[in-house]
């Protein structure tokens, strides 16, 4: 890795490569497609495909693949070689414009929420020209959208692209009112990715980590993260080597890996990229997670992306830094230096405040998963309650607008939006509130509730959608105005007053906030089933259908997939838990008791004493009986829940009955673990897992 600028993007068919390999006329046509969605004619598509093939072959590629994001939350790819038969038993390497633009993978085996039957297998992948193709594992990967034969979205990218276009359209309406001449508005993201690294040999001895991605058992180690000596500490040599290779692989793929550091928990780390366009950021984050796991294996490590792999220490999030920018480079979430810019900023800020308050249910739904339920509100992540942090100074400005009172930063007593008495708003007037689920951090919003394993396409589709919907309502009102400044002042004051309850600058981890939030009327959907329950409310259907982002049928299928996945995850965890109890924990405890009994018998014969052994055996025996009884109860409860025909009721059953019983079983097993001699422990301990990588 001697020349990073030369290395960066070396496996990406980016604009630099396009410009070099395509005729000027074809390059210009492709640029119009990328920027404006202008259709490509087949002649241009054929030339682009041929250039793409030649470039990919020069990078070692033998195959191509339409690379997409099905509703499973991971990526999918089917490889086809460039090989085409020729005369006399020869072959040529060929790739056509038709093959570039559209593929037809089997759609029946992907999650579809009932939209596709096995015998209705056809689905289409359609090239997304705004996201660059790249070479991975000797294959040219072409980022695509994935839809059914009848046009429904069967992926996470299609709704994201639709939401970006909806936000572009509504933002331009607002900007026009301010005389802003921007021609295009896009959203940008920078997802900070948290993860754990554990030794692969230890991982292989933990059935729960292999099957579930998290530990179902594990006694608390004598040292956790209470010393605060892991966060930003010097990185261990083995981890440094991993990070160096990870950076190299990410940079080759044009991924802007920028920041790396130790996180708060032992064995926990973070990688943060530079901001880029939302759909490209989503593609790159999916690639990042894949490469993190692949590189870890090469170093004898396992990269854990589960939201809560270890009980009692910090879980892992994916802090979603979200902003909106124009084609002129203006960040619409950045406070300006002039009154006009401030007024525009305040309107967009007000729109975000209203959007979050009106759509708390959608934001909570967007981050809902079985894994994230363990993390949210667990004293290391924001609670399941949605609120917005704006910082003290900005809150004072908003309060002055709401109350019509003096803001100390002004020279006059009246806060008038759009007039020259409105002072500049400092860009960095906010601190970072780590306890807030949705924090304004100077020129962007940080959505901290997103889980580490989650595709960011879903949360950002909803962020774009709720802001677009709010801006549409504002534009509908302000476009009819005969006195823009006056009506703008009235609208902002009205909306800030109406949605003041969503603003909270305090400690989101405190129990007091839960009580206060309830008084304010904020929603607290603690479990995934509760979060999913309101997704198909009429207001949400009208929002998505009105913007052309989802149809009612797509929403139904996506909801059903999320419910089904929740139940599947819990089913796997229960079966794994039962197997570990019956095959690992109880047999190990019996072996240790047998040793204690043998030792006790010998000690009694020789010395006529050894009360400690008897006491230990009695304690273990009582715990084993309790563990066995509660495991049988878990089996019974689980079988009862599995018989429920309604997926929604089944999910609620898992949340209300199965998970509490799993917690009981875990609690008992975790009391047994410290009592066993080291050689009798059934699996590597938390101490082994969290402190073995040096």
């Amino acid at each position: 890795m001697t020349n990073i600028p030369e290395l960066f993007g070396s496996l990406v068919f980016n604009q630099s490569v396009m410009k070099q390999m395509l005729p000027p006329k074809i390059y210009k046509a492709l640029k119009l497609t990328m920027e404006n969605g202008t259709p490509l004619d087949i002649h241009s598509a054929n030339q682009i495909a041929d250039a793409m093939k030649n470039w990919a072959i020069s990078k070692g590629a033998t195959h191509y693949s339409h690379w997409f994001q099905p509703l499973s939350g991971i990526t999918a790819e089917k490889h086809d070689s460039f090989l085409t038969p020729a005369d006399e038993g020869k072959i040529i390497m060929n790739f056509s414009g038709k093959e570039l633009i559209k593929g037809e993978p089997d759609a029946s085996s992907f999650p579809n929420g009932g939209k596709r039957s096995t015998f209705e297998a056809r689905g289409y992948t359609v090239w997304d020209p705004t996201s660059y193709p790249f070479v991975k594992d000797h294959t040219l990967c072409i980022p695509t959208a994935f839809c059914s034969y009848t046009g429904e979205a069967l992926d996470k990218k299609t709704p994201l692209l639709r939401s970006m276009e909806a936000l572009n359209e509504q933002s331009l309406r607002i900007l026009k009112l301010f005389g802003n001449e921007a021609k295009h508005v896009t959203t940008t993201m920078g997802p900070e990715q948290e993860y754990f690294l554990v030794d692969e040999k230890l991982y292989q001895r933990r059935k729960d980590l292999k099957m579930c991605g998290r530990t179902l058992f594990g006694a608390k180690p004598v040292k956790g993260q209470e010393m605060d000596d892991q966060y930003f500490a010097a990185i261990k040599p083995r981890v440094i080597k991993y990070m160096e290779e990870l950076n190299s692989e990410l940079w080759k793929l044009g991924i802007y890996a920028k920041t790396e550091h130790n996180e708060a928990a032992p064995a926990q780390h973070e990688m943060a990229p530079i901001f880029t366009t939302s759909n490209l950021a989503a593609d790159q984050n999916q690639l990042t997670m894949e490469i993190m796991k692949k590189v870890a294996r090469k170093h004898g490590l396992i990269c854990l992306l589960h939201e809560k792999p270890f009980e009692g220490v910090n879980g892992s999030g994916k802090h979603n830094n979200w902003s909106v920018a124009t084609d002129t480079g203006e960040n619409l979430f950045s406070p300006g230096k002039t009154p006009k810019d401030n007024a525009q900023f305040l309107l967009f800020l007000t729109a975000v405040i209203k959007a979050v308050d009106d759509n708390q249910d959608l934001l909570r739904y967007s981050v809902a998963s079985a894994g994230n339920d363990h993390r949210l509100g667990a004293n290391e992540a924001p609670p399941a309650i949605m609120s917005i942090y704006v910082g003290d100074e900005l809150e004072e400005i908003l309060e002055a607008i709401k109350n019509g009172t003096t803001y100390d930063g002004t020279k006059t007593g009246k806060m008038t939006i759009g007039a020259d008495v409105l002072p500049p708003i400092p860009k960095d007037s906010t601190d970072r509130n780590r306890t807030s689920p949705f924090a304004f951090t100077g020129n962007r919003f940080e959505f901290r509730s997103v889980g580490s394993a989650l595709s960011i396409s879903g949360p950002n589709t909803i962020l774009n959608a709720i802001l677009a919907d709010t801006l549409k309502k504002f534009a509908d009102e302000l476009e009819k105005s005969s006195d823009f400044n006056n009506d703008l002042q009235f609208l902002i004051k009205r909306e800030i007053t109406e949605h003041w309850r969503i603003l909270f600058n305090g400690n989101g981890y405190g129990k007091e906030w839960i009580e206060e939030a309830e008084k304010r009327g904020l929603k607290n959907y603690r479990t995934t089933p509760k979060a999913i329950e309101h997704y198909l409310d009429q207001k949400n259907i009208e929002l998505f259908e009105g913007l052309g982002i989802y149809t009612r049928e797509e929403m139904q299928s996506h909801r059903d997939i999320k419910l089904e996945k929740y139940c599947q995850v819990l089913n796997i965890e229960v079966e794994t838990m039962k197997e570990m109890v019956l095959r690992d924990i109880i047999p190990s405890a019996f072996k240790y008791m047998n040793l204690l009994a043998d030792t006790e018998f010998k000690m009694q014969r020789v010395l006529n004493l050894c009360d400690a052994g008897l006491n230990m055996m009695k304690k273990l025996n009582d715990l084993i009986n309790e563990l066995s009884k509660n495991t049988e109860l878990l089996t019974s409860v689980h079988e009862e829940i599995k018989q429920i025909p309604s997926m929604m009721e089944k999910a609620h059953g898992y949340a209300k009955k199965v998970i509490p019983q799993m917690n009981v079983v875990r609690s008992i097993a975790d009391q047994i673990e410290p009592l066993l001699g080291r050689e009798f422990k059934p699996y590597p301990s938390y101490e082994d897992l969290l402190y073995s990588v040096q």
Side-chain angles (χ1 to χ4, degrees):
M1 197 165 57
T2 55
N3 190 332
I4 295 175
E6 188 174 306
L7 179 78
F8 188 84
S10 57
L11 295 180
V12 183
F13 193 74
N14 53 32
Q15 287 196 46
S16 175
V17 178
M18 294 174 193
K19 193 171 185 178
Q20 178 184 345
M21 298 194 68
L22 294 173
K25 185 178 178 181
I26 302 299
Y27 174 68
K28 184 178 180 181
L30 180 54
K31 282 270 288 179
L32 287 173
T33 298
M34 294 169 64
E35 294 172 0
N36 304 323
T38 306
L40 275 174
D41 61 74
I42 191 63
H43 171 72
S44 298
N46 282 332
Q47 290 202 55
I48 293 166
D50 189 60
M52 204 179 284
K53 174 208 68 179
N54 293 335
W55 170 82
I57 289 173
S58 74
K59 299 296 181 181
T62 56
H63 290 66
Y64 69 91
S65 172
H66 277 200
W67 184 84
F68 57 102
Q69 301 175 32
L71 294 170
S72 59
I74 55 177
T75 59
E77 51 195 74
K78 181 188 76 166
H79 299 181
D80 289 295
S81 73
F82 293 121
L83 184 152
T84 301
D87 293 338
E88 301 179 351
K90 302 287 187 179
I91 60 101
I92 60 173
M93 303 294 269
N94 189 51
F95 184 47
S96 70
K98 182 180 178 181
E99 290 168 321
L100 166 63
I101 292 171
K102 188 170 75 172
E104 295 186 23
D106 185 332
S108 62
S109 297
F110 291 109
N112 57 65
K115 295 300 295 178
R116 308 293 295 141
S117 301
T118 302
F119 60 85
E120 296 172 322
R122 181 171 290 176
Y124 293 118
T125 48
V126 183
W127 176 34
D128 171 16
T130 62
S131 188
Y132 301 134
F134 54 91
V135 170
K136 176 174 71 76
D137 299 331
H138 307 292
T139 300
L140 171 65
C141 295
I142 303 157
T144 58
F146 181 44
C147 61
S148 73
Y149 176 67
T150 49
E152 295 96 347
L154 292 176
D155 69 341
K156 293 181 176 293
K157 167 165 275 194
T158 302
L160 177 61
L161 292 171
R162 292 171 181 171
S163 73
M164 291 170 67
E165 183 50 43
L167 185 54
N168 168 57
E169 180 182 345
Q170 302 307 325
S171 297
L172 289 177
R173 291 178 65 192
I174 293 293
L175 293 177
K176 186 177 179 181
L177 295 170
F178 286 93
N180 191 312
E181 297 181 355
K183 292 181 174 59
H184 190 76
V185 170
T186 190
T187 56
T188 60
M189 288 191 284
E192 303 169 26
Q193 180 72 57
E194 294 177 338
Y195 60 98
F196 281 83
L197 290 175
V198 298
D199 188 274
E200 184 173 11
K201 291 178 181 177
L202 299 177
Y203 167 87
Q204 293 295 346
R205 292 167 54 198
R206 294 280 318 211
K207 187 178 182 67
D208 47 4
L209 282 179
K210 289 196 293 181
M211 295 294 103
C212 311
R214 76 178 183 102
T215 53
L216 301 176
F217 301 103
K220 183 179 179 181
V222 293
K223 178 187 176 187
Q225 63 186 68
E226 63 274 10
M227 298 293 291
D228 295 325
D229 56 353
Q230 162 75 3
Y231 192 55
F232 280 22
I235 302 172
K236 300 292 194 300
R238 192 174 174 191
V239 178
I240 278 286
K241 289 181 180 178
Y242 163 78
M243 288 180 171
E244 286 175 351
E245 184 168 354
L246 175 64
N247 286 332
S248 177
E249 294 303 310
L250 293 178
W251 290 339
K252 287 177 188 175
L253 291 167
I255 296 172
Y256 302 102
K258 177 72 172 177
T259 303
E260 59 190 27
H261 62 82
N262 288 344
E263 256 298 336
Q268 188 184 32
H269 314 280
E270 180 179 294
M271 188 285 289
I274 297 173
F275 285 62
T276 190
T277 308
S278 291
N279 61 316
L280 184 57
D283 285 352
Q284 291 185 346
N285 185 250
Q286 292 295 125
L287 266 177
T288 296
M289 291 190 287
E290 176 187 335
I291 293 166
M292 278 180 161
K293 293 178 180 179
K294 186 184 297 183
V295 172
R297 293 265 187 182
K298 293 171 68 175
H299 292 263
L301 301 168
I302 293 293
C303 176
L304 299 176
L305 293 174
H306 193 283
E307 291 83 359
K308 188 73 171 178
F310 301 103
E311 186 70 26
V313 299
N314 274 16
S316 294
K318 180 146 45 193
H319 305 155
N320 188 93
N321 293 283
W322 171 70
S323 194
V324 182
T326 69
D327 56 335
T328 59
E330 181 183 6
N331 184 336
L332 299 179
F333 290 160
S334 181
K337 295 181 179 179
T338 66
K340 170 180 167 293
D341 292 336
N342 280 350
Q344 179 181 286
F345 161 73
L346 285 172
L347 184 61
F348 273 89
L349 175 64
T350 302
V352 171
I353 292 170
K354 174 178 171 60
V356 172
D357 190 23
D358 285 346
N359 299 284
Q360 300 166 49
D361 54 338
L362 287 177
L363 286 177
R364 176 64 181 93
Y365 169 88
S366 77
V367 299
S369 71
N372 214 20
D373 282 357
H374 295 291
R375 169 180 166 264
L376 293 178
N379 285 336
E380 81 250 2
I385 305 162
M386 292 298 144
S387 64
I388 300 177
Y389 168 85
V390 293
D392 293 339
E393 185 170 0
L394 197 48
E395 185 177 56
E396 287 178 16
I397 291 173
L398 295 176
E399 191 165 20
I401 294 171
K402 176 173 73 81
N403 298 332
T405 56
T406 301
Y407 168 60
D408 291 338
T410 64
K411 295 181 180 179
T412 67
K414 180 121 172 139
M415 192 76 176
T416 306
I417 298 168
D420 57 10
V421 294
L422 186 62
I425 302 171
K427 177 181 176 182
D428 297 315
S429 62
T430 62
D431 192 6
R432 290 188 69 187
N433 187 326
R434 296 178 59 84
T435 74
S436 174
F438 201 77
F440 180 67
T441 55
N443 62 356
R444 65 190 184 275
F445 286 92
E446 185 177 5
F447 191 17
R448 297 179 58 86
S449 301
V450 182
S452 55
L454 192 68
S455 164
I456 56 176
S457 292
N460 284 280
T461 295
I462 286 180
L463 283 173
N464 294 343
I466 63 176
L467 181 56
D469 179 64
T470 304
L471 292 175
K472 181 177 184 296
K473 292 171 182 173
F474 285 2
D476 288 345
E477 180 176 340
L478 292 173
E479 284 173 349
K480 300 173 184 175
S481 171
S482 57
D483 186 345
F484 178 68
N485 276 351
N486 185 63
D487 291 341
L488 176 66
Q489 171 96 12
F490 174 80
L491 183 151
I492 291 178
K493 179 176 181 179
R494 181 193 71 206
E495 297 297 339
I496 288 172
T497 303
E498 185 174 335
H499 300 286
W500 189 259
R501 65 177 184 170
I502 202 70
L503 300 179
F504 178 64
N505 285 352
N507 179 16
Y509 292 171
K511 292 181 180 179
E512 301 82 5
W513 168 233
I514 296 176
E515 297 170 2
E516 170 65 21
E518 186 177 357
K519 291 177 183 175
R520 295 187 184 193
L522 300 181
K523 298 174 174 64
N524 185 6
Y525 298 140
R526 188 64 193 86
T527 67
T528 288
K530 274 289 184 186
I532 295 175
E533 201 170 52
H534 297 281
Y535 181 59
L536 292 178
D537 287 355
Q538 188 59 32
K539 81 167 182 73
N540 296 334
I541 294 171
E542 290 175 358
L543 185 155
F544 287 119
E545 287 195 326
L547 295 170
I549 295 171
Y550 290 119
T551 64
R552 180 190 299 261
E553 291 75 21
E554 287 171 340
M555 292 177 68
Q556 176 76 53
S557 67
H558 294 185
R559 186 204 71 156
D560 292 348
I561 289 167
K562 192 180 277 268
L563 277 174
E564 184 177 23
K565 184 174 183 179
Y566 176 82
C567 294
Q568 288 170 340
V569 167
L570 268 298
N571 178 68
I572 292 169
E573 290 189 350
V574 171
E575 295 299 332
T576 302
M577 177 171 268
K578 286 159 51 181
E579 190 169 315
M580 290 180 72
V581 167
L582 298 176
R583 293 189 182 182
D584 298 328
I585 299 171
I586 290 179
S588 295
F590 277 145
K591 283 181 183 177
Y592 189 55
M593 285 181 67
N594 184 58
L595 174 68
L596 290 174
D598 187 49
T599 303
E600 169 68 18
F601 176 74
K602 292 175 182 176
M603 295 294 285
Q604 285 283 4
R605 289 184 61 184
V606 176
L607 301 174
N608 197 31
L609 52 85
C610 196
D611 290 343
L614 286 172
N615 292 337
M616 179 72 79
M617 281 190 288
K618 184 177 185 311
K619 188 172 184 179
L620 274 172
N621 185 66
D622 290 345
L623 286 170
I624 290 170
N625 286 334
E626 193 70 15
L627 180 61
S628 179
K629 181 180 73 174
N630 276 282
T631 302
E632 289 179 7
L633 182 56
L634 174 61
T635 300
S636 175
V637 171
H638 186 216
E639 289 302 317
E640 173 195 336
I641 299 304
K642 285 199 298 184
Q643 302 309 312
I644 298 175
S646 163
M647 193 61 72
M648 179 63 81
E649 291 180 19
K650 183 181 293 187
H652 278 300
Y654 272 111
K656 293 176 181 177
K657 293 185 177 181
V658 174
I659 291 177
Q661 187 57 31
M662 289 175 69
N663 292 338
V664 172
V665 171
R666 174 174 188 151
S667 175
I668 300 166
D670 287 355
Q671 293 176 61
I672 292 174
E673 183 188 327
L675 301 179
L676 304 180
R678 175 166 286 276
E679 66 272 27
F680 291 91
K681 290 189 184 296
Y683 36 68
S685 69
Y686 269 26
E687 180 181 340
D688 297 329
L689 291 165
L690 294 172
Y691 293 99
S692 63
V693 179
Q694 298 295 324

